[in-house]
Amino acid sequence: MKTLDLALIGNCTVGALVDARANITWGCFPRFDGDPVFCALLKESDDYGFFAVELADCERTEQHYLENTAILVTRLYDRQGGAVEVSDFCPRFGQHGRTFRPMMLVRRIRRLSGSPRLTLRLRPACDNGAARPVMTWGSNHVRYVAPTLTLRLTTDASLTAIMQETSFFLEDTVTLLLGADETVTEAPGEVGRRFLEETTQYWGEWVRNLGIPFEWQAAVIRAAITLKLNTFDDTGAIIAAMTTSIPEAAGSSRNWDYRFCWLRDSYFVVNALNRLGATRTMERYIAYIVNIAAHADGGPLQPVYGIDGRAELEEREVPALAGYRGMGPVRIGNLAYRQVQHDVYGSAILAAAHIFFDQRLTRRGDEALFRRLEPLGEQARRCHDQPDAGLWELRGSARVHTFSAVMCWVACDRLAKIARQLGLAERTDYWLDQSHQIHATISRRAWNEARGAFVSTFEGEAMDASLLLLVEVGFLDANDPRFAGTVSAVEQDLRRGDFIFRYIETDDFGEPENAFLVCTFWYVNALATLERRQEARELLEKLLACRNRHGLLAEHIDLRSGEQWGNFVQTYSMVGLINAAIRLSIRWDQAF
């Protein structure tokens, strides 16, 4: 049975998921939102859509990342004492004054002991799983020719063994380089060795420059590497997840394509990158967001954009793929781009605000950029009390959501702070006045006196987990009794065991069945804000125990079984882990 006990490899151009037996079951080319060349994760039949290394009479496996890297090592052992080691990675390192990050997967298979007998099965798919590419070959390579892309496997293994999938005894090491249809001029084994060495060094240096907490170091480092792997270097965009259509719960039909960039994520992602000190990644991501805002030219922002900045993400169902464990539909594209979600203005301005205040950044904010952001503030001012789909992207209803209104307040509040930073007194006063008016409206219409709490919609009664962020975004002070009352109401309505649901109301697809993991991380931070640190630490430990064996998290979790559901690896979840761990860890100068 397929599970999400998978490891992620990548290089910020492509990414792939690898199972416990070294089978690549998911990977899109030529970039994250491309055709799933490896799509076995969403296929019912096992005829193609994978890259397998099969050891005859395999008895057991071991798997781990090389410490502080995105390089995966799988060891396969047979019953006769034979063993092999598979190193999987995508090359990433500095070369010729820039970062070398080709569209390439590298697999190095090394004999460890005995006489292991292998079968290599490279069966890519094309056209979203509907077909297989045409195979051609040369002296030391095999080409997989699809209508929109040709991949080339360059190898020092037997081409006959690969094309005919015949078994062979591994005597030493074989290298497989799968990438663009370009000639590899060096020996594959030498290329693979050098790429492995330099990629290992790259990740070690990248991790060395991170700012991490004293406690939970390994968990934060793995989350940081994963966040980096979800970054599309070419534009700076960060995707929500590598996959599409892993259901939020079994048979729920809540199957969405997450291979895009949600502006809402920007605040949380930038916050995490800032705390980690990953300024280059943060700066590129902020530039992507600013470019999106500039392209809007004062008009409304969408909640989600393509990794290349494109606006239209037309959604369609893919009949060739049955879905995760046969639970379709599989969707390509995401209709959320058409939704009205007013919180995006605050998210975009919050992210861009770093440019004006962070002196580490090479590009600094000026008055010209501020003037570009002001139209977003005007949009926020106009729509703060208007209905929208909300951050949970309800497809069948529109209400005035408190979180959307709060983020509209954030847009005006941060513009006032930026104007003050730039010495623009008149604009400071203007945006302060707008923020005060919106704050007063929210305090009047979203506060439920009977519940003693802010509620999810204006004049409503229900709760949703975004209310846990009221202090974090600055809408309330930490010691404001209204926040304690709101957290108490969230606990009463949304807590199930150790987890917080995003909401419990019936939506377009029925009642939510599984918990949205990032909401529990928000709750951890809220507990810390209320000085309930011991509770927060205990809950964080329980959340860390939910990760798979590689330290990775999906979007949702089944409360009964502890199984992860939803798209994988989920940026939101990994960012929640980073922010909570940094907040709760003891300080380095108090550690020893």
Side-chain angles (χ1 to χ4, degrees):
M1 183 173 68
K2 293 179 174 67
T3 75
L4 296 181
D5 190 20
L6 304 169
L8 172 65
I9 59 171
N11 64 357
C12 306
T13 295
V14 290
L17 298 175
V18 188
D19 72 13
R21 286 182 170 259
N23 298 322
I24 297 176
T25 62
W26 182 261
C28 299
F29 285 77
R31 60 188 199 183
F32 300 151
D33 59 352
D35 197 5
V37 168
F38 302 116
C39 53
L41 188 63
L42 300 184
K43 273 178 62 65
E44 203 159 35
S45 59
D46 293 327
D47 47 353
Y48 60 90
F50 59 85
F51 190 171
V53 177
E54 296 180 2
L55 175 65
D57 297 319
C58 184
E59 184 178 40
R60 62 186 178 91
T61 68
E62 298 171 355
Q63 196 172 58
H64 66 279
Y65 283 110
L66 289 184
E67 186 176 25
N68 294 349
T69 76
I71 299 166
L72 183 70
V73 175
T74 309
R75 291 180 179 143
L76 309 172
Y77 299 87
D78 68 23
R79 294 183 177 88
Q80 290 78 40
V84 300
E85 179 181 88
V86 184
S87 297
D88 284 320
F89 65 98
C90 298
R92 182 178 176 87
F93 49 87
Q95 181 174 271
H96 306 310
R98 57 191 176 188
T99 303
F100 179 67
R101 43 174 176 78
M103 180 192 70
M104 178 183 285
L105 300 175
V106 179
R107 315 202 80 176
R108 297 185 80 236
I109 309 171
R110 181 168 67 95
R111 185 181 71 87
L112 294 179
S113 63
S115 300
R117 187 162 56 91
L118 294 179
T119 306
L120 301 178
R121 304 189 195 278
L122 174 51
R123 300 183 185 179
C126 60
D127 192 19
N128 292 307
R132 296 181 64 174
V134 174
M135 191 188 308
T136 67
W137 62 92
S139 58
N140 64 353
H141 69 267
V142 182
R143 298 169 73 241
Y144 299 89
V145 183
T148 59
L149 178 70
T150 297
L151 293 176
R152 179 186 293 226
L153 175 72
T154 304
T155 183
D156 49 16
S158 162
L159 295 189
T160 300
I162 291 170
M163 291 187 292
Q164 298 183 11
E165 297 184 356
T166 54
S167 62
F168 62 95
F169 287 99
L170 182 64
E171 297 178 357
D172 187 9
T173 300
V174 296
T175 300
L176 303 108
L177 311 173
L178 181 66
D181 187 22
E182 299 170 351
T183 301
V184 178
T185 56
E186 302 174 66
E190 176 57 26
V191 172
R193 184 202 60 77
R194 180 167 60 86
F195 282 8
L196 177 60
E197 182 179 292
E198 297 202 36
T199 300
T200 302
Q201 182 177 349
Y202 166 84
W203 285 111
E205 289 294 326
W206 189 81
V207 169
R208 186 179 301 162
N209 289 313
L210 293 177
I212 61 171
F214 176 75
E215 299 179 272
W216 306 295
Q217 291 185 41
V220 170
I221 288 171
R222 182 52 50 198
I225 291 173
T226 304
L227 175 55
K228 178 71 173 175
L229 293 180
N230 278 4
T231 303
F232 183 58
D233 254 8
D234 189 59
T235 63
I238 298 180
I239 56 173
M242 279 285 167
T243 58
T244 178
S245 304
I246 308 294
E248 296 177 9
S252 65
S253 295
R254 299 176 189 264
N255 301 9
W256 315 115
D257 192 346
Y258 273 17
R259 301 170 299 159
F260 308 115
C261 186
W262 270 257
L263 294 187
R264 175 180 309 109
D265 297 359
S266 60
Y267 164 69
F268 304 101
V269 171
V270 169
N271 194 31
L273 292 170
N274 182 279
R275 290 179 174 184
L276 291 166
T279 53
R280 189 181 301 275
T281 303
M282 181 178 79
E283 197 166 15
R284 292 282 294 145
Y285 184 44
I286 293 172
Y288 168 85
I289 294 167
V290 169
N291 285 332
I292 292 288
H295 189 70
D297 197 25
L301 287 179
Q302 297 176 188
V304 58
Y305 290 84
I307 59 175
D308 54 4
R310 76 186 188 278
E312 293 189 7
L313 306 174
E314 287 296 340
E315 182 177 294
R316 60 189 176 89
E317 294 184 7
V318 177
L321 296 175
Y324 182 69
R325 298 185 190 170
M327 298 176 188
V330 171
R331 295 184 172 99
I332 301 295
N334 198 308
L335 273 181
Y337 85 92
R338 293 183 179 177
Q339 289 191 352
V340 174
Q341 297 176 26
H342 299 321
D343 62 299
V344 295
Y345 304 106
S347 297
I349 291 173
L350 256 183
H354 284 262
I355 297 176
F356 297 90
F357 294 96
D358 193 333
Q359 296 186 22
R360 297 169 298 175
L361 303 185
T362 55
R363 179 190 173 185
R364 302 294 299 283
D366 55 17
E367 184 175 346
L369 178 57
F370 170 74
R371 299 293 182 182
R372 281 189 173 275
L373 295 177
E374 282 197 293
L376 302 184
E378 292 295 346
Q379 289 280 1
R381 178 186 64 80
R382 287 192 293 268
C383 67
H384 74 276
D385 58 354
Q386 299 302 304
D388 73 346
L391 84 161
W392 305 123
E393 301 187 340
L394 302 176
R395 293 196 171 198
S397 62
R399 290 176 284 181
V400 183
H401 290 91
T402 301
F403 182 76
S404 296
V406 166
M407 293 304 286
C408 289
W409 169 83
V410 164
C412 299
D413 177 76
R414 297 319 191 266
L415 284 173
K417 288 179 168 62
I418 294 169
R420 182 182 293 116
Q421 175 77 359
L422 294 173
L424 304 174
E426 184 269 331
R427 301 315 294 163
T428 301
D429 292 341
Y430 174 81
W431 288 113
L432 274 177
D433 182 58
Q434 303 307 318
S435 69
H436 291 158
Q437 291 183 44
I438 296 174
H439 199 288
T441 299
I442 298 169
S443 298
R444 183 178 71 255
R445 298 186 61 188
W447 176 257
N448 185 303
E449 191 65 39
R451 299 215 61 180
F454 283 95
V455 289
S456 64
T457 58
F458 281 14
E459 287 87 39
E461 296 183 354
M463 308 301 297
D464 85 85
S466 67
L467 300 167
L468 296 168
L469 300 170
L470 293 179
V471 168
E472 187 156 336
V473 298
F475 183 81
L476 295 178
D477 292 331
N479 58 0
D480 191 322
R482 292 179 297 176
F483 184 62
T486 300
V487 173
S488 177
V490 167
E491 290 172 323
Q492 179 181 331
D493 285 17
L494 304 183
R495 183 163 185 172
R496 300 290 185 273
D498 292 324
F499 299 97
I500 300 292
F501 273 60
R502 52 186 172 180
Y503 54 84
I504 56 171
E505 295 177 282
T506 299
D507 61 18
D508 319 335
F509 295 87
E511 290 186 19
E513 298 175 53
N514 291 339
F516 198 79
L517 280 165
V518 76
C519 297
T520 309
F521 284 114
W522 295 347
Y523 178 55
V524 166
N525 290 334
L527 292 176
T529 297
L530 296 173
E531 299 299 329
R532 295 162 60 182
R533 291 183 65 86
Q534 188 56 38
E535 287 180 69
R537 290 174 63 88
E538 291 172 359
L539 188 51
L540 176 58
E541 291 285 0
K542 292 176 179 178
L543 283 165
L544 293 175
C546 296
R547 298 172 300 154
N548 73 8
R549 73 167 106 180
H550 301 295
L552 308 181
L553 289 168
E555 183 184 41
H556 282 76
I557 192 162
D558 185 314
L559 273 61
R560 298 170 297 278
S561 66
E563 184 177 9
Q564 296 194 52
W565 288 86
N567 282 308
F568 183 84
V569 177
Q570 179 77 4
T571 293
Y572 240 178
S573 300
M574 305 309 289
V575 164
L577 185 161
I578 292 167
N579 288 333
I582 291 176
R583 180 162 193 168
L584 288 174
S585 173
I586 60 174
R587 288 170 20 197
W588 277 91
D589 60 356
Q590 298 174 339
F592 48 84

